[in-house]
Amino acid sequence: MSISYTVKKALNNNVVIASSLPDENEVVLIGKGIGFNKSKGDPLDLSPVEKLFVLTNTKEQEQYKKLLPYISEEIIECMNECIHYIKSRLKKELNQQILISLTDHISFAIKRLQEGLEIKNPFLLETKTLYPEEFSIADNVVQMINNRLEIDFPEGEIGFIALHIHSAISDRHLSEVNQYSRLTHVLVEITENTLKIQLDREGVQYIRLVRHIRYMIDRVKSGEEVEISSSFSKLLQTEYPICYNLAWKLIKIVQQELQLKVLDAEAVYLTLHLQRLSAKSEQITF
């Protein structure tokens, strides 16, 4: 059975509160010109609306309605186009929260930019390495926003939008996604300082280290068990004491940050990775 809608209230030209028929549930419809000249009780013909976003979750509807008075219609229209672009690139459904969180973020970022406040993203390179597809899409989204709204977002904004995109497809809260980038940044810096190396942020060694950290965090959060013999662990402790001690230092930081136990086997795998990293860096240096 097809769903049709009648207008309960047109909030502006691009946003309408409507009733879905036949179940009469309240929804928020966002689409270019969908509320133009619409009054209560008017039926809505959605067939000509190519880019329509439907908010069905009650909590998210309320969040969006509270946000609307502070957002221009031009930004609403632009963000709707950006969300549809993201969906078309990923070819999958997004968590509805992205419409609210990304619209709020972009609106606030524009305000900061207009006030001359610098937008810094200290975790840009970690985000680019952790989420390359999302970063590529976010790069194009920033170009769309810049062209449409005639602004000039800095590169750091690409990283912020990439985190929103990953949050929407992974169903992880944005704070958790941001935690990955922040924690990875800290662990890489400690690794460089301890081993007295400087990793090329575009190089393969940096990429491999970041990915190792990411998968380790994933395993810890999922409770995945990995095993290794205690004798092998003692061998590494004897053969590679610097890397072994560094591995445990990093793991204790992860445990403290995530408030989760990290298995001893992770220290072994991390020690091996750090030793290979250290050896390759020495080859490059000399």
Side-chain angles (χ1 to χ4, degrees), residues 46-200:
L46 304 185
S47 57
V49 182
E50 295 179 2
K51 297 176 180 176
L52 178 72
F53 205 89
V54 184
L55 282 180
T56 56
N57 182 282
T58 303
K59 181 180 177 181
E60 288 164 359
Q61 287 180 35
E62 292 306 311
Q63 288 177 334
Y64 192 72
K65 284 187 278 188
K66 288 178 181 178
L67 187 62
L68 281 178
Y70 307 99
I71 310 294
S72 71
E73 288 199 42
E74 190 177 22
I75 293 177
I76 292 170
E77 193 175 317
C78 178
M79 294 313 304
N80 197 40
E81 290 179 1
C82 289
I83 297 295
H84 280 278
Y85 168 74
I86 294 167
K87 288 176 66 175
S88 68
R89 278 287 302 271
L90 292 169
K91 294 181 172 56
K92 60 179 68 174
E93 287 300 313
L94 306 175
N95 187 309
Q96 288 187 344
Q97 183 64 35
I98 189 175
L99 178 67
I100 302 154
S101 62
L102 192 55
T103 300
D104 188 28
H105 172 81
I106 294 300
S107 176
F108 187 57
I110 291 172
K111 183 179 179 182
R112 291 202 310 268
L113 202 62
Q114 291 171 339
E115 293 174 350
L117 300 175
E118 188 176 358
I119 302 173
K120 290 186 177 181
N121 186 344
F123 315 122
L124 180 66
L125 295 173
E126 285 78 12
T127 301
K128 183 178 182 180
T129 304
L130 286 167
Y131 314 117
E133 184 179 18
E134 292 92 328
F135 195 91
S136 173
I137 295 170
D139 190 1
N140 288 331
V141 168
V142 166
Q143 292 180 44
M144 289 171 64
I145 295 171
N146 285 346
N147 293 336
R148 179 66 182 273
L149 302 180
E150 297 182 347
I151 57 176
D152 187 20
F153 272 146
E155 185 183 18
E157 200 56 50
I158 300 171
F160 294 130
I161 294 174
L163 293 179
H164 280 274
I165 295 172
H166 184 74
S167 173
I169 61 176
S170 65
D171 273 336
R172 286 175 171 158
H173 194 276
L174 187 61
S175 61
E176 181 183 359
V177 175
N178 188 51
Q179 182 186 46
Y180 271 58
S181 297
R182 178 169 48 81
L183 182 55
T184 300
H185 178 84
V186 170
L187 299 182
V188 169
E189 279 200 335
I190 291 173
T191 297
E192 289 181 318
N193 292 336
T194 303
L195 298 180
K196 296 179 173 57
I197 59 175
Q198 181 64 54
L199 295 172
D200 176 7

Side-chain angles (χ1 to χ4, degrees), residues 229-269:
S229 68
S230 58
S231 59
F232 187 48
S233 177
K234 290 177 181 177
L235 176 64
L236 290 180
Q237 186 176 8
T238 302
E239 292 292 324
Y240 311 122
I242 294 176
C243 291
Y244 184 85
N245 290 335
L246 173 58
W248 269 110
K249 182 177 182 179
L250 299 180
I251 280 174
K252 286 177 181 177
I253 292 172
V254 172
Q255 286 184 149
Q256 184 176 7
E257 176 70 24
L258 303 182
Q259 293 295 297
L260 292 169
K261 179 176 173 55
V262 180
L263 297 176
D264 292 357
E266 292 292 355
V268 172
Y269 293 130

